[in-house]
Amino acid sequence: MNLTLRYMTLQDVPQVVYIDRLAFDLPWSEHSYAYEVSESTYSYMVVLEAETPALAARGWRRWLPLNGRSTGRRIVGYGGLWHIMSEAHISTIAVHPDYRGRGWGEILLAAMVQRAVVLAAGFVALEVRVSNTKAQNLYHKYDFETVGTKSHYYRNNNEDAYDMRLPLTAANQQRTGERFRALQARHIFADLYTAHEPPRAQPGRMA
Ligand SMILES: CC(C)(COP(=O)(O)OP(=O)(O)OC[C@H]1O[C@@H](n2cnc3c(N)ncnc32)[C@H](O)[C@@H]1OP(=O)(O)O)[C@@H](O)C(=O)NCCC(=O)NCCS
């Protein structure tokens, strides 16, 4: 599997929004993603891209819009990281439903934690629905701990959120780095994200 981890661009937004609508009851708007990618100065949005004949053969029409491209290269998952002061906040993470259970969500989470380490954040934080045990398992696997509950956090059904955090102690930084390198050895993906600056910081590269 040919995988690439890289920054989200404006051209990616339609594919990301498509997956977002499959993944969440309260999806973000196209405008929100466009803002994160092109205007926000504290946002580090990531995508995982796969190139495989299988993806194209298994129904490219679901991977809308294609924007005129004819290759099998598609976004299979994405994540959002905000860096504000000492906090690195994971704002979103999702994998296309057809491609879950392959370790790709783990790659995205590990990459954002590793990016937070490179940014010298003090801790990583996120919210997760109390009913979302799959995602909680993923976060627990990466040593996130539940530090509180935010009541009626989700406006569609008033569901509570767990406030989960991972302090980036020296030990956790080392562990994160080792895990990320182990994932890279297992899945063999190109990493254009964790040690790179976002395109907005490099005039001329933004879409
Ligand atoms: C959460 C999500 C990103 C995980 O992506 P994924 O690619 O399927 O996950 P991975 O294959 O990398 O699995 C990593 C870990 O997640 C947990 N996990 C994933 N799928 C699971 C399942 N069906 N049941 C229980 N735990 C599961 C496990 O801890 C797993 O580690 P393991 O394989 O060693 O058991 C994906 O399910 C998703 O997009 N969900 C919808 C969006 C969402 O809920 N995002 C989180 C918002 S807070």
Side-chain angles (χ1 to χ4, degrees), residues 23-24 93-95 100-106 127-128 132 134-135 137-139 141:
F24 292 107
I93 178 172
V95 171
R100 291 179 189 163
R102 302 174 177 218
W104 292 356
E106 184 173 344
E127 289 93 18
V128 58
N132 193 348
K134 291 179 192 172
N137 286 344
L138 172 60
Y139 305 142
K141 187 173 178 180

Side-chain angles (χ1 to χ4, degrees), residues 3 13-14 23 53 77 85 94 100 106 133 144 159 163 179 182 188:
L3 292 173
V13 169
M85 310 290 280
R100 291 179 189 163
E106 184 173 344
T133 52
F144 280 76
E159 187 172 353
D163 181 355
R179 282 178 154 176
I188 311 179

